[in-house]
Each structure stands twice: as C-alpha cells, then as structure tokens.
Amino acid sequence: MDTNQYIEVFLDESREHLQAVNDNLLKLEKQPEDLSIVSEIFRSAHTLKGMAATMGFEDVASLTHQMENVLDKIRNEELHVSTDVVDITFAAVEALEEMVASISEGNDGKKDVSDLVSKLEQLENGGSAPVSQESSSTSESQSSIEFELDEYQATVIAQAKEQGFEALHINVRLNDDCILKAARAYMVFEKLEDKGDLIQTVPVVEDIEDGNFEQEFSLLMLTKESKEDLEKLIHSVSEINRVDVSDLKVKDKEQEQPKAQEDEDPNKAKSEVAATKEAPANNQSAPKQSKTIRVNLERIDNLMNLFEEVVIDRSRLEDLGQKLKDQELIETIENMTRVTEDMQGLMLSMRMVPVEQVFNRFPRMVRGITKELGKEIDLEITGADTELDRTVIDEIGDPLVHLIRNSLDHGIESPQKRKEVGKSETGKVSLRAFHSGNHVFIEIEDDGGGINREKVEAKAIENGLLSAEHSEVLSDEEIYQMIFSSGFSTADQISDISGRGVGLDVVRSKIESLGGNIIVESEPGKGSKFSIQLPLTLSILTTLLVNVQQETYAIPLSAIVETMLLEEKQVMFVQGQKVIDFRGKVIPLVSLRDIFNVPTAEDSKEENSIVIVHKGDKMAGLLVDSFIGQKEVVLKSLGNYLRDIFAISGATILGDGEVSLIIDPNALVK
Amino acid sequence: MAKVLITDDAAFMRMQLKDILTKQGHEVVGEAENGQVAVEMFQDLQPELVTMDITMPEMNGVDAVKEIKKINPEAKIIMCSAMGQQGMVVEAIQAGAKDFIVKPFTPERIQESVGKVL
C-alpha cells in the first residue's frame, strides 16, 4: 500500500498523542492512584501502535506495543505505578518522539529499541528495572562527538537538509609545532567561508579566534560540497596535521525532540488544540479538520522582507505626494497606506505562534530538576496560548530555562526548611503569559524564600557595584534589580543547575536585545516574581523622527512619554549634570548631539526641543534640535561589523532614501 | 621552479631565506628591504611569489600586501611573521596573503608553504 499520502496526518496525530502521553504521565506521577489517566495513556499508545503498524514503522509499533502491555497491567491493577514505571515510560516516549522526528525528516524512523522494550518487559513481569542501566543506554549511547545544538540550530539544519544541504562535522588538527594557531584557524575559516554556512564550532569561535584551543577544533557546517573536496581544500592550508570530515553526529536525545516541537507549531496554531496542561485529555481523539496549508517559515520571512521594501517605497511615495500636491496621487497613496497596513497586520499574525511550544518542554524539565535537587515542586502554566512573534519565540527559550532553573534552585527552599517555616512541603512555581497593550508579559513566580536584601547588598558592595553609603538610600526594589548585574550569584553553593553568577545578566541582555525588559519583585519569606515584558513584533516600529543638526534619528514611540519645548534658562545643573524639572520630578537631560558627536553648525537657540523617554519608571530627557513627525519604519540591523554600537539599535531607510539611525533609548536612561 | 621576491628589513633574514629557497630550486629575483621597495620591485620584476616580513620601516608588510594586490590581485604572497603578531597576520590574510610562516623558519616549513601556495 502506498502510504505516502498519509504521512503528514500520521505525523500530526502522532505528535498530538505523544504530547498527550507526556502530559498525562506528569499527571499520573502526581496522582498514581488515578487509573482513568492510565486509560488515557493506554489509548494514546494503542492508537500510535495501530497507526505505526499501518505505516510500516516497526520500531515505533514494537515499542508502543510493549508500553501498552505495561499500561494494561496497571489498568488491571496488576502493577503498581512506581517511579520506575514513570521513568521508563518517559524514556520510551522520548524514544518515540525521536523516531517521529526522524520520520518527519524523511528517514525510516528506525531506532534500536530493544533495550527499552526489554526494560518494559521486565516491568511487565513484575521486576523493577535496574536504574543504572537506564541512564547509560538511553541518553549517552553516542558520546564520541561533542556538538550540542539548540532548538534554532536544529531547525536550521532540518530545513537545510530539505534543500539538499549536508550537515558535516569537520575536525581539524593543526601540527603540534604550529605557533599562531588563531591565524591558522582563521585561514581554515576563510577557505570554508563561501562553501556553506557555519553553524557551530567547538570550542566557540571567540576561543578559536583567540587561539584558546589545543591543536584541534571542530566545525559544524551546512554545505553542498563533497566531503573529499572539503578535506582537500582544508589541506591546502599549511600546518594542517589532519582533517576529518564526517556526517553530523550530535549528542543523542536533546536535539531531536525540539525538532519535533518545531514542526508541530503550524499544526498547533491552526487547530488550536487546547493542550494547556490542565486541559481535559479526551479531546485529543476528536478528528481535526481545518483548512490550512503548511508553509516553510523561510517563505514567510521572505515575504516579510519584501513587504518591508514596500513599506520603504510607500514612505517614499508619501513624501512625493506631499511635494507634488496632486490630489489624485495623494488619495491613491492614502488608499495604498490603508491596504499595506492591513497586509502588515496579516503578515505579522502569520508569524505569530503560541508561546506554548516553548512552555511545553518545561514540565518535564522541572520534573527532572526537582528530582535532582531533592525538592518537591509543582509547575503551574497559564496562558500557553498567548501568541508571540516567531523570532521572539526562538530566542526566549534559553532565558526562560535559566529563570525557571533559578527559581527551582535558589527560590524554592528544601522541603525540611519549608516545613520549618510553616509552608507546605511542595513548592510552587507559576509560569504565566498574557497580552497587555502592544506587549506580551511572561511572569515566573515562586513561593520560595524571596530575595535576601542583605545578601544582595553585601554581594554588590563586595563586587564594587555599590557603595555602602549608597546602598542605604536604595529601596528594596532597587536592590533586587542588582541581581541582573554581571558577576552576581547569591547562592551559597554553586550547583550545576543554576550557574556561577554568569546568568541573570545574560538573561537581561538577551531580553533587552529582543526589545524587552525584565524586572524582579520579591517579598522575603513569600517568594519572588520575575516579569518579562516583550514587544509583539520586532521588525516594524512606530517612531518619532527628530533632527539633530543635519542628521535624522528615529526614536521608538513605545519608549516616549511626551515631547516638550523648554527654554534654555529652565535647564538646571546637579553635580555638573544637566537636569530638567519634569512634572515635579528631576530627570537628567541628555544631548544627542554630544552623545553621537554630531558636527555642530549653528548653536544657541532660545528654546530646546526635548523628547522624554522612559525605561520602566525611570525617565530621561533627550535634547534634539527639532521634531519631524511620526513614522512607521522598518528596523534593519547594522550587521555584524557594527554590533554593539552604544545607544543605536539599528537603521532604517526613510522615504527620501536617506538612512536614519534608530536610537535605543534604554541605553540612554540610567 | 618559481621566481621569488624576498622582503625583509634584516639582511640576515634575507640571506637565510634566499639560501633556503635557492637550495629548493627556486630563483630569487629580487630582495627588498621594506614594503615600499617591495611594491616597486614587484611591478618591475613580476615575481611568481613574494615573501613578506611584517614589521619594516617605510611601509609595513600588511600595507605592502594591500598595494601589491592592487597591482595584481592574483599575486601570491607568503607572510613571514614573528611570534605574537597574530592580529597582523590575520589582517594580511584578509588583505589577500596566501599563507604565513613563523620565524624562526625551518626549510621543511618553507617548502610546505611554498608548495601549497604555488
């Protein structure tokens, strides 16, 4: 039977069932006595088995079959739900996810499952499986190669493979007597530059560039070149001892399942499966029918890029219309503006995906970590259907992982301690997402010990971030924010779960790079709450254009409180710093002319034009020469050569073809 | 075998290089004592290969590479670097130098490099 036409449906449904099994297993662990959950899992496994057998995926079928046997025993109360049972079933689900992911990439979905099957058999026959064997066999069977891919990289590779690229692992060893290793490595990079895309290196590029490696380094590259050609090419560089080019092998397990989730989204988005953790599980068997097509994300990105060009041309037309004062032309342009605005809305909504796909992996992660830490913690997720721009979704995963780990490790106390202070032994971490205005908020709240002000203070003073006198005038809130400064960790002991003080500052800068911000609130003994504010979309901004001498700058409207005119004599000085009185509040005045070293032609005006911007509840006045007006602009990055320019987040092309820099007000408000 | 132009401000280094290259069957067609001279000689002699020291008076090796590349983008240049000049070497490679060797040289290393570049 030709089964190809069914493969998409098979994949969709398999993923749904696997997610359902996942959710239900987590529930089952909490309520081991609830046999209705076992029945749900059984049904999912059974459906999976049937589908897989029809499609000819034998390994999937045999594994689910064995799962089914175990579940059946539980259902008939012949077997008790123990941690072993749940652990092994989880391992089996992971293996299934890997197989499904591999099928979705066009492979045959084969995998050696005999080990898992025999473990399940053991369970079925009453004995507990030896735990040691489990960890070694499921996760670290391939340990020779050291690439670990994040979700994004895994997606890129999967897509590239669809387009006929190969993911190659290139290992280069330099001669032992090679002295300028970095320069040599640079030559290798240069040779490979136009042969494909470099995805990852071990060690990281910065280390290679600084020569911080033994004689050897590895590259992960997407290319259409043959292995032999690449080997030859690299050998043309001097002082190369050995080159090995092989197909990509990555650490098992971790990277397969995100891929499965990635592929899942379009489907999720369209069918709106109410798969929040608390949703009743029985809606999964209802057949899904919706009129959707799957589109490669790249195409949407391309469409978006083209559309951005249209927006640029539109502003050019607007300028022309004003200049020519032709009524018909102006009307046409106005109409076009309306249409493109609608298009923009549509296009943005296409890029929106539920934050669910990031949240999905957390229940299992929390489960794993709490076990490791010997704590008992419940994770509560709300608002998983909140939608965010794809780009933000891709980037937000790691910071969230970090914050959740942080809450689990440092936030929630040990069960004994919780008992002592009269809390329930089980801690609670809530993960919430919701819309508000033009922003999406993600909150992570725990009911742990809260932040210890004294400890933070002491640490900040010790690290020279704060002076002792200064610390006394700061509010608790202000002190708490110090944990985002670099080189900070208040945990008494360093554990491998939440880092060595290189954490929260990275989280903050990541979130700021996405145009968002993060604050922390905390109450001693009651817990802490991290709130992340994120913009809905990144690429098209509404800005205020201003003139600074002959140059035009754009300031994002979201950061602007208001604009004002101020006479020179109203500017005051505090400790040599210009300040102004803004509604009874003294705020610093920053001259953009000075900040950006704009060449000055004329000077000394009677009145100052000032844009008041804010960051959280802090404000500053930006001194400009004149306001031009509000404008939708397309944010273009400055590229790799001009990274990390102070107070500039990007550039845009204006209607008249002039390039204008977009100011990052966050950097100017201190 | 190749016609080579040697560039180094130290006569000793030029001698040593010339010796090694000649023994390997190459013909040293010119010796320049700084980048400026090298650029001029490159134009006159049209060598198949140039060795280029980095630190030199008048014009340093990196600038000389850039100038020579302007004259002939196909020019084959090997940088002769001392330890600790990583940044300069990378700059020279970016400017189009084909390879580099690190002082003190060994004949084998020079042979390898010349072989790969030509």
Side-chain angles (χ1 to χ4, degrees):
Chain A
M1 183 170 85
D2 180 19
T3 50
N4 273 340
Q5 62 190 107
Y6 308 115
I7 190 94
E8 283 296 305
V9 186
F10 166 74
L11 289 171
D12 280 357
E13 285 201 85
S14 299
R15 289 188 196 114
E16 270 166 34
H17 283 296
L18 285 174
Q19 186 62 46
V21 173
N22 241 323
D23 296 346
N24 281 321
L25 272 176
L26 288 167
K27 268 200 226 162
L28 182 66
E29 199 177 29
K30 283 180 210 145
Q31 311 158 23
E33 304 309 320
D34 190 348
L35 293 183
S36 71
I37 304 176
V38 179
S39 301
E40 291 294 339
I41 304 176
F42 180 87
R43 233 184 37 217
S44 294
H46 182 79
T47 317
L48 265 173
K49 183 179 83 171
M51 292 192 299
T54 318
M55 298 291 291
F57 299 123
E58 313 263 327
D59 288 340
V60 177
S62 75
L63 189 52
T64 42
H65 174 72
Q66 204 51 51
M67 261 173 82
E68 209 181 293
N69 285 351
V70 172
L71 291 164
D72 195 39
K73 284 225 163 177
I74 301 175
R75 200 165 56 159
N76 298 327
E77 300 189 31
E78 287 168 38
L79 187 68
H80 185 68
V81 178
S82 64
T83 325
D84 262 353
V85 171
V86 177
D87 282 348
I88 293 176
T89 321
F90 260 129
V93 172
E94 264 168 39
L96 288 171
E97 282 175 349
E98 278 173 39
M99 288 189 267
V100 171
S102 114
I103 294 168
S104 75
E105 283 158 31
N107 301 326
D108 55 5
K110 284 208 191 307
K111 185 177 160 73
D112 182 14
V113 291
S114 53
D115 191 51
L116 277 167
V117 168
S118 72
K119 259 189 250 166
L120 285 166
E121 266 166 9
Q122 259 175 299
L123 276 182
E124 188 195 347
N125 300 328
S128 289
V131 180
S132 60
Q133 201 187 332
E134 176 210 6
S135 61
S136 63
S137 55
T138 52
S139 60
E140 271 140 31
S141 51
Q142 303 176 326
S143 59
S144 58
I145 304 297
E146 57 285 69
F147 284 122
E148 269 183 87
L149 302 174
D150 64 26
E151 235 172 89
Y152 172 72
Q153 291 167 330
T155 321
V156 169
I157 292 173
Q159 282 173 357
K161 278 187 174 164
E162 276 170 32
Q163 294 163 7
F165 284 90
E166 288 293 329
L168 295 181
H169 176 148
I170 302 171
N171 186 282
V172 181
R173 191 177 169 81
L174 303 178
N175 281 349
D176 290 339
D177 55 1
C178 173
I179 298 168
L180 300 183
K181 289 185 285 187
R184 202 49 84 186
Y186 176 84
M187 289 184 70
V188 173
F189 283 135
E190 207 194 28
K191 289 273 182 201
L192 294 175
E193 203 171 49
D194 53 348
K195 300 297 177 202
D197 289 325
L198 206 54
I199 301 295
Q200 203 185 6
T201 64
V202 175
V204 293
V205 177
E206 289 76 20
D207 281 344
I208 297 182
E209 279 173 357
D210 293 341
N212 291 332
F213 57 99
E214 293 301 313
Q215 304 306 114
E216 212 165 353
F217 58 93
S218 287
L219 318 168
L220 170 53
M221 190 169 167
L222 290 175
T223 177
K224 286 185 172 167
E225 304 282 323
S226 76
K227 290 172 203 163
E228 294 72 35
D229 286 351
L230 287 178
E231 255 172 62
K232 223 188 270 172
L233 190 68
I234 298 172
H235 270 303
S236 73
V237 176
S238 306
E239 293 188 292
I240 301 285
N241 180 302
R242 195 166 45 88
V243 182
D244 292 314
V245 183
S246 57
D247 285 320
L248 171 69
K249 276 181 280 170
V250 260
K251 271 193 187 167
D252 219 357
K253 179 173 157 185
E254 281 297 320
Q255 84 289 356
E256 291 291 343
Q257 121 218 10
K259 234 181 266 170
Q261 287 183 354
E262 292 287 329
D263 289 350
E264 218 169 346
D265 334 321
N267 165 48
K268 279 265 169 61
K270 82 185 175 201
S271 55
E272 294 184 87
V273 190
T276 37
K277 302 290 146 311
E278 310 311 325
N282 28 1
N283 66 353
Q284 78 215 342
S285 51
K288 306 280 175 322
Q289 275 190 334
S290 52
K291 290 178 194 162
T292 47
I293 50 165
R294 283 159 178 274
V295 180
N296 193 323
L297 182 69
E298 208 170 294
R299 290 202 196 162
I300 296 187
D301 281 343
N302 284 345
L303 183 60
M304 192 71 193
N305 281 338
L306 289 177
F307 180 74
E308 285 170 0
E309 301 290 323
V310 174
V311 172
I312 291 169
D313 280 344
R314 184 188 74 194
S315 18
R316 176 141 180 72
L317 277 176
E318 278 167 2
D319 278 7
L320 279 177
Q322 275 166 13
K323 211 183 284 172
L324 298 175
K325 301 219 184 322
D326 181 300
Q327 196 51 39
E328 275 181 69
L329 177 64
I330 290 173
E331 273 170 24
T332 321
I333 293 169
E334 274 172 3
N335 191 35
M336 184 180 152
T337 308
R338 273 193 297 278
V339 175
T340 46
E341 269 163 15
D342 287 351
M343 276 172 69
Q344 184 183 330
L346 267 176
M347 222 160 320
L348 290 182
S349 71
M350 279 200 277
R351 292 179 53 89
M352 301 295 257
V353 282
V355 72
E356 183 176 29
Q357 59 157 304
V358 181
F359 284 8
N360 262 344
R361 58 173 142 145
F362 293 141
R364 198 150 76 193
M365 183 189 100
V366 169
R367 182 179 174 277
I369 295 175
T370 47
K371 276 199 152 183
E372 210 171 297
L373 291 170
K375 295 179 180 179
E376 286 165 38
I377 298 169
D378 275 341
L379 175 70
E380 184 196 64
I381 295 182
T382 45
D385 51 354
T386 310
E387 293 190 323
L388 259 172
D389 189 277
R390 179 58 196 241
T391 331
V392 181
I393 292 270
D394 284 344
E395 299 284 326
I396 198 68
D398 290 344
L400 285 181
V401 167
H402 202 103
L403 288 173
I404 291 175
R405 290 186 161 199
N406 201 57
S407 289
L408 299 178
D409 196 11
H410 304 319
I412 305 280
E413 314 93 325
S414 62
Q416 305 88 291
K417 192 163 176 206
R418 290 181 67 89
K419 214 169 170 186
E420 279 167 30
V421 295
K423 291 187 198 174
S424 87
E425 283 180 43
T426 310
K428 193 172 149 191
V429 173
S430 310
L431 181 60
R432 282 186 288 267
F434 55 92
H435 274 283
S436 174
N438 232 348
H439 289 93
V440 168
F441 290 83
I442 298 177
E443 294 180 348
I444 297 148
E445 187 171 6
D446 65 65
D447 67 346
I451 299 174
N452 184 330
R453 174 178 172 135
E454 283 76 42
K455 242 193 230 174
V456 176
E457 237 170 27
K459 189 87 183 191
I461 293 171
E462 184 191 317
N463 289 356
L465 299 163
L466 195 66
S467 69
E469 314 86 69
H470 191 47
S471 75
E472 280 163 27
V473 297
L474 290 179
S475 67
D476 286 356
E477 293 298 302
E478 284 165 312
I479 294 285
Y480 294 154
Q481 311 309 324
M482 312 249 11
I483 61 173
F484 295 114
S485 316
S486 52
F488 210 93
S489 180
T490 53
D492 301 321
Q493 279 179 331
I494 289 171
S495 70
D496 56 353
I497 291 185
S498 56
R500 305 165 174 272
V502 289
L504 287 174
D505 60 318
V506 179
V507 169
R508 187 191 59 184
S509 61
K510 183 93 213 173
I511 287 166
E512 283 175 356
S513 76
L514 290 170
N517 61 57
I518 179 167
I519 54 165
V520 57
E521 295 160 46
S522 180
E523 205 175 322
K526 293 265 178 66
S528 353
K529 179 165 92 178
F530 289 86
S531 306
I532 301 171
Q533 184 189 16
L534 292 165
L536 271 182
T537 182
L538 296 174
S539 50
I540 299 190
L541 296 174
T542 313
T543 60
L544 175 73
L545 295 185
V546 297
N547 264 341
V548 180
Q549 296 295 329
Q550 301 300 314
E551 297 177 9
T552 309
Y553 290 87
I555 305 173
L557 221 52
S558 57
I560 297 179
V561 182
E562 64 177 71
T563 56
M564 60 193 287
L565 292 174
L566 200 69
E567 284 175 37
E568 185 67 45
K569 61 184 181 217
Q570 285 175 275
V571 176
M572 297 168 288
F573 284 87
V574 172
Q575 293 176 342
Q577 156 83 45
K578 276 187 182 178
V579 296
I580 53 173
D581 176 18
F582 177 67
R583 302 192 192 288
K585 237 177 140 180
V586 175
I587 62 171
L589 184 64
V590 182
S591 165
L592 289 187
R593 199 189 299 174
D594 296 344
I595 296 264
F596 297 124
N597 285 325
V598 181
T600 309
E602 21 85 55
D603 208 24
S604 76
K605 272 192 298 183
E606 293 288 290
E607 272 189 331
N608 290 315
S609 304
I610 291 165
V611 183
I612 311 286
V613 294
H614 74 108
K615 173 191 182 185
D617 47 7
K618 285 176 209 154
M619 290 191 276
L622 304 184
L623 179 62
V624 300
D625 288 321
S626 63
F627 308 126
I628 301 174
Q630 186 179 324
K631 193 103 190 162
E632 297 252 292
V633 300
V634 179
L635 176 71
K636 298 272 187 199
S637 93
L638 291 175
N640 286 343
Y641 298 110
L642 296 173
R643 240 185 283 168
D644 299 329
I645 306 280
F646 176 72
I648 295 291
S649 59
T652 190
I653 303 170
L654 299 176
D656 55 6
E658 196 191 332
V659 172
S660 152
L661 293 174
I662 298 169
I663 291 173
D664 172 17
N666 283 338
L668 296 172
V669 185
K670 279 194 210 82
Chain B
M1 289 283 112
K3 289 196 271 179
V4 188
L5 168 65
I6 294 176
T7 317
D8 201 308
D9 57 337
F12 166 75
M13 295 305 301
R14 291 202 299 272
M15 213 166 69
Q16 197 192 15
L17 256 175
K18 184 174 181 178
D19 215 37
I20 295 172
L21 285 166
T22 315
K23 274 190 189 138
Q24 290 174 5
H26 301 285
E27 182 193 351
V28 176
V29 291
E31 292 179 38
E33 67 273 14
N34 67 47
Q36 186 65 49
V37 177
V39 175
E40 286 157 16
M41 289 177 87
F42 179 83
Q43 204 139 22
D44 295 342
L45 302 170
Q46 301 188 335
E48 292 156 81
L49 184 71
V50 183
T51 73
M52 185 69 71
D53 185 27
I54 289 182
T55 323
M56 290 179 297
E58 300 288 324
M59 182 192 278
N60 73 27
V62 177
D63 290 336
V65 170
K66 290 177 187 161
E67 289 304 315
I68 291 177
K69 280 281 169 182
K70 274 186 211 160
I71 301 167
N72 180 2
E74 300 298 312
K76 296 187 173 108
I77 307 168
I78 297 177
M79 305 306 291
C80 302
S81 152
M83 283 162 73
Q85 289 183 307
Q86 195 116 255
M88 299 286 272
V89 171
V90 170
E91 204 183 321
I93 303 283
Q94 279 168 338
K98 296 281 188 215
D99 199 359
F100 64 89
I101 47 182
V102 182
K103 296 175 195 172
F105 323 123
T106 61
E108 296 76 39
R109 180 69 195 87
I110 290 172
Q111 191 163 21
E112 180 197 6
S113 182
V114 173
K116 296 223 167 177
V117 168
L118 287 177

